[in-house]
Amino acid sequence: MTRPLPAYSHVRRTDPALLRESLRDASTTPFWLDSPEAPDPEPPLEGATTAQLVVVGGGYCGLWTALRAKERDPSADIVLLEGRRIGWAASGRNGGFCESSLTHGSENGERHFARELDVLNRLAAENFAELAATLERYGIDAEYEETGVLVAATEPHQVEGLRASVAGDDVYLDRADLDARSLPAVYRAAVQKHAGYAYVNPAKLAWGLKAACLALGVRVFEGTPALGLHDLGDRVRVSTPAGAVTADRVALATNGFPSLLKRTRLSTVPIYDYVLMTEPLSPAQLAGIGWEGRHGVTDSSRQFHYSRKSADDRILFGGFDAIYHPGRRIRPAQDQREETFEALADHFFTTYPSLAGIRFTHKWGGMIDMSTKLVAFHGRALGGKAAYSAGYTGLGVAATRFGADTMLDLLSGEDTERTRLSMARRKPVPVPPEPFATPLIELMRRAVVRSDERGGKDGPLLKLADAFGVGFDS
């Protein structure tokens, strides 16, 4: 007997002509960055300068590090270097899901940090609350809204696991409840979760953090890639195309880009994720699919999807494919992948058939810094003069603030709850270099696809990887 295909697969269910038409005029610029509110870039570094702390990387992790360093010591001289524009990479093109979790969900937390979960959950809640307070304190309009998430089961085997996940004020919805709310027929059950889930406009968050840093006196240089890190004994020097920064300490927040420290270059691998954004939808269209709240939506598959509303009631729809480009390459051309865009459009119309005929105004992709634990790690080097934080694996909007504080603790030599965590003391299993990385990652990717096709049953490869603490998800 042939097992039926999952609700979402690479087999198209939508008329190909409709798919092509829906994507025909979509802009390749990420929706969040396609805005007249984008600030002018700061000028690049010209010549040599000194500082107490130099931060490398102008995404969330670097911005939070510079901001938190200034909050800890307002007199500190802080320099931030960004190779292109603030927030142009993952921080300006993600889905805007802002989750409190520091462990990539409870199941992954149990797998890797069981003994520390109580501490991690408390620290996560504190970090989440402090993030919201920071936005209010500096008047950062990041379109922040703490509105929860709907987690859906799209296959029979997902239902019991979803039911078992109910905790606190979560609300379990069976098929009758879903029908009463006019929710998609492809959902078999769902859980409405409330605590620890918020949403932001990713680019506006990055731009707001930049403005706050500048207001506190951080010196920000854009268009200034860091070319090398040099140990000077009592200080460090970061070289750039037209100058250098000599500093007491350096914080490396380059995430999936090649690290200036050789020891961490194999600890992450760049995985590409892709997203669509619809045209604005009317209240009647949203009511027709049962989506009248401001919550986000995700499903329970290994190749999961995520979706949420923008401020003007567009639907962002992304996920499913997780694409590795051979050689750990990070190139602008890889931000576009028509095969994945068509798959996402097909899945969108499979989920919301009443919306057939709408258009997608934007289609884009970007790199995620995936670690084999699916969670961030932090550490120090060069005798304590350098700290690093990377591996956020798609859940860095809030967790990067925690990573920033951890780096600053490590650089200060403080013994804190953060520095005592295993994620600050042990790196994840590295991803091998080429020529081994490409076939290994492709094998893992196919194993994930087969797991979804076989009712969630992991094959030998995924079981073996799990035994060694290695994970792979979409």
Side-chain angles (χ1 to χ4, degrees), residues 28 30 93 272-275 334-336 341 363-367:
T28 58
R93 60 183 65 215
Y272 274 72
D273 183 41
Y274 296 90
V275 176
Q334 294 166 187
D335 294 343
Q336 294 294 304
F341 293 141
K363 57 181 183 180
W364 73 93
M367 178 269 292

Side-chain angles (χ1 to χ4, degrees), residues 42-386:
E42 298 301 303
L45 176 65
E46 299 284 347
T49 190
T50 61
Q52 289 170 268
L53 173 68
V54 55
V55 180
V56 180
Y60 293 148
C61 192
L63 290 164
W64 279 118
T65 303
L67 183 65
R68 292 292 295 131
K70 268 294 189 180
E71 289 181 330
R72 291 183 180 203
D73 181 2
S75 67
D77 185 12
I78 313 294
V79 166
L80 185 149
L81 304 177
E82 164 52 42
R84 292 181 62 176
R85 294 282 296 273
I86 292 293
W88 75 273
S91 297
R93 60 183 65 215
N94 65 84
F97 279 67
C98 182
E99 298 186 20
S100 63
S101 175
L102 299 174
T103 61
H104 208 94
S106 58
E107 185 177 338
N108 198 57
E110 288 283 357
R111 179 181 295 116
H112 296 296
F113 310 104
R115 295 181 179 179
E116 301 173 317
L117 269 186
D118 287 345
V119 173
L120 280 165
N121 289 338
R122 174 173 53 78
L123 291 174
E126 292 172 0
N127 180 68
F128 191 65
E130 289 163 2
L131 182 152
T134 300
L135 302 187
E136 183 174 354
R137 181 162 64 252
Y138 294 105
I140 297 174
D141 176 18
E143 298 173 7
Y144 181 89
E145 47 187 350
E146 200 169 329
T147 49
V149 67
L150 183 77
V151 183
T154 60
E155 305 299 331
H157 71 272
Q158 298 168 2
V159 174
E160 284 309 310
L162 196 61
R163 193 196 307 269
S165 75
V166 174
D169 60 353
D170 295 348
V171 178
Y172 179 77
L173 305 173
D174 61 19
R175 188 58 252 178
D177 297 322
L178 299 174
D179 287 338
R181 299 189 183 197
S182 301
L183 287 165
V186 74
Y187 298 164
R188 296 175 180 269
V191 172
Q192 189 87 48
K193 295 180 176 289
H194 302 285
Y197 295 91
Y199 303 88
V200 297
N201 178 312
K204 290 179 73 173
L205 174 58
W207 298 334
L209 290 173
K210 170 187 170 180
C213 285
L214 291 170
L216 293 182
V218 175
R219 291 186 285 152
V220 177
F221 298 97
E222 297 181 66
T224 307
L227 302 180
L229 174 60
H230 312 277
D231 188 349
L232 304 181
D234 60 338
R235 308 193 81 193
V236 294
R237 184 174 71 245
V238 176
S239 57
T240 70
V245 182
T246 301
D248 298 331
R249 299 288 185 268
V250 58
L252 302 174
T254 53
N255 296 311
F257 292 94
S259 175
L260 295 179
L261 291 171
K262 290 183 179 180
R263 71 181 68 182
T264 63
R265 287 181 187 171
L266 298 181
S267 296
T268 63
V269 63
I271 298 293
Y272 274 72
D273 183 41
Y274 296 90
V275 176
L276 300 176
M277 183 70 92
T278 73
E279 61 191 345
L281 301 180
S282 69
Q285 286 173 312
L286 292 168
I289 60 174
W291 199 347
E292 297 179 87
R294 295 291 303 172
H295 58 273
V297 181
T298 186
D299 63 64
S300 304
S301 301
R302 294 289 293 266
Q303 294 178 285
F304 67 94
H305 302 77
Y306 54 88
S307 52
R308 49 80 57 102
K309 292 178 180 177
S310 65
D312 58 350
D313 283 339
R314 301 166 187 264
I315 292 180
L316 175 144
F317 193 82
F320 187 68
D321 272 342
I323 304 300
Y324 171 73
H325 295 277
R328 281 182 161 87
R329 288 193 291 266
I330 302 169
R331 297 176 176 173
Q334 294 166 187
D335 294 343
Q336 294 294 304
R337 192 170 190 267
E338 292 306 316
E339 177 185 351
T340 296
F341 293 141
E342 288 191 10
L344 286 173
D346 177 56
H347 298 170
F348 182 88
F349 294 126
T350 298
T351 308
Y352 307 117
S354 66
L355 297 181
I358 70 153
R359 291 177 177 270
F360 298 101
T361 60
H362 295 75
K363 57 181 183 180
W364 73 93
M367 178 269 292
I368 291 172
D369 57 322
M370 196 187 87
S371 77
T372 53
K373 283 187 177 180
L374 306 180
V375 71
F377 60 92
H378 326 282
R380 62 180 181 174
L382 304 184
K385 297 189 294 294

